[in-house]
Amino acid sequence: MIKIHVLQTGRVSVDIGVPLRQKNPFAVTGFFRSAKHRVWLPVTTYLIEHPNGLVLIDTGWHTSKRNITVKRKFGLLPISYADLPKGMAINEQLERLGNKTSDLDYVFISHMDGDHIDGLRLVKDAKNIMVSREEWKDSQSKKYGYRYHSEVWNGVDVGTFEFANNGIGPFGKSFDVFGDGSIQLVSTPGHSHGLFTTLVQGNEKFVAIIGDVGYMKKSWEEIWLPGLTVDKDAAIRSLKWVQNISRKQNCEAILATHDPSIKPQIIEI
């Protein structure tokens, strides 16, 4: 049996143009937009209890963002504001579940936007911390300096993994974590080049943790792109793949990191 803990590690305030692309090109940045366009969305991380080890997907906010309100900005642009109430940081939640951060066999970062990687320093003593090779490459490029901020991973031993060309997913590429097909990190680019979906399979059912491929059910049902994409065509292809697998009978759940309808829970497959 595989157990997936869905953990809400704070919230993020964004313009509605971030989860759902708008015609207004300024919507995603928040510039020249009133507060009425802003929404609070959950920041979700996932602890997977697998027979072969503990796997964490994303880390949420760092405790330095605790009690930040919309008056205090994260990053250089007013794209997002953080909120992390006491007890909701990833290390606090792991402790509540009876786990030390050093118990984590793997920490995988779906992509390196702040709300997914900011808490990395809280779990830096995990056995393995990894991002896709494509994502790491972009994080080192000045071209994406507006998006990736090295201070959140400085001092952390971050490794990379490579997708294998195995026919899995919209681009036929994935990384098999344990080599048995039970946890596949499926390449689903568009929002970023190295973004992956975590496909967890057990007892003839599967759960797809899609990160920011789409922000909510409406995203894959209507193929509604996120406001920020590096490759629009790839983003559409990735969303259509999510739409397709969501219709399969053995689909237990599609979990998007910022979907307001997804509540903290435990899923067993």
Side-chain angles (χ1 to χ4, degrees):
M1 178 180 292
I2 301 173
K3 188 180 293 185
I4 302 170
H5 297 264
V6 180
L7 307 172
Q8 187 175 333
T9 46
R11 302 183 302 162
V12 62
S13 171
V14 294
D15 189 282
I16 191 62
V18 171
L20 301 172
R21 183 180 293 231
Q22 309 292 296
K23 292 182 179 179
N24 180 350
F26 293 107
V28 70
T29 68
F31 283 132
F32 312 116
R33 300 270 286 180
S34 68
K36 70 179 182 180
H37 296 292
R38 298 194 75 85
V39 293
W40 281 103
L41 301 175
V43 174
T44 311
T45 60
Y46 310 89
L47 177 67
I48 304 171
E49 290 187 39
H50 187 281
N52 292 332
L54 285 177
V55 178
L56 180 68
I57 306 297
D58 290 341
T59 65
W61 295 120
H62 189 271
T63 49
S64 62
K65 304 303 186 296
R66 181 148 287 154
N67 299 320
I68 288 182
T69 68
V70 292
K71 294 180 180 179
R72 294 176 63 190
K73 300 174 183 177
F74 176 73
L76 300 177
L77 298 177
I79 293 176
S80 63
Y81 307 112
D83 177 48
L84 181 68
K86 185 176 180 180
M88 294 187 73
I90 185 58
N91 59 322
E92 295 167 330
Q93 299 216 44
L94 289 171
E95 183 178 357
R96 205 157 45 240
L97 291 169
N99 298 304
K100 295 180 292 186
T101 55
S102 59
D103 294 333
L104 295 169
D105 293 281
Y106 288 99
V107 175
F108 290 108
I109 303 299
S110 65
H111 63 297
M112 297 175 73
D113 283 341
D115 49 345
H116 295 259
I117 195 174
D118 193 50
L120 191 62
R121 290 160 293 169
L122 300 175
V123 295
K124 66 180 182 180
D125 57 350
K127 297 179 180 70
N128 298 280
I129 297 172
M130 306 184 81
V131 300
S132 68
R133 185 178 63 174
E134 293 86 346
E135 196 69 12
W136 184 253
K137 179 182 178 181
D138 280 0
S139 76
Q140 307 302 300
S141 170
K142 291 182 179 179
K143 179 179 180 180
Y144 298 104
Y146 69 93
R147 185 171 184 178
Y148 302 126
H149 307 284
S150 62
E151 67 270 14
V152 303
W153 65 79
N154 281 343
V156 181
D157 184 12
V158 180
T160 62
F161 67 86
E162 294 188 30
F163 297 114
N165 293 308
N166 52 18
I168 297 174
F171 293 87
K173 300 191 296 183
S174 76
F175 174 73
D176 191 337
V177 175
F178 292 119
D180 60 1
S182 59
I183 301 181
Q184 296 272 4
L185 308 183
V186 180
S187 176
T188 46
H191 178 61
S192 75
H193 290 116
L195 176 64
F196 64 79
T197 287
T198 306
L199 200 60
V200 186
Q201 303 183 81
N203 293 324
E204 299 183 355
K205 294 183 179 181
F206 71 86
V207 171
I209 301 169
I210 69 170
D212 289 358
V213 176
Y215 278 65
M216 56 195 69
K217 193 174 183 180
K218 184 175 186 176
S219 303
W220 57 89
E221 287 190 338
E222 301 180 17
I223 313 300
W224 201 318
L225 295 182
L228 178 61
T229 59
V230 295
D231 187 327
K232 183 179 177 181
D233 290 339
I236 291 172
R237 187 168 167 179
S238 293
L239 268 177
K240 286 184 176 179
W241 175 76
V242 172
Q243 181 188 74
N244 180 53
I245 65 171
S246 74
R247 295 170 176 172
K248 293 183 179 295
Q249 287 189 337
N250 60 337
C251 178
E252 185 72 10
I254 303 290
L255 303 175
T257 296
H258 304 296
D259 190 342
S261 71
I262 303 297
K263 307 302 179 184
Q265 59 184 293
I266 299 173
I267 301 173
E268 296 181 350
I269 57 175

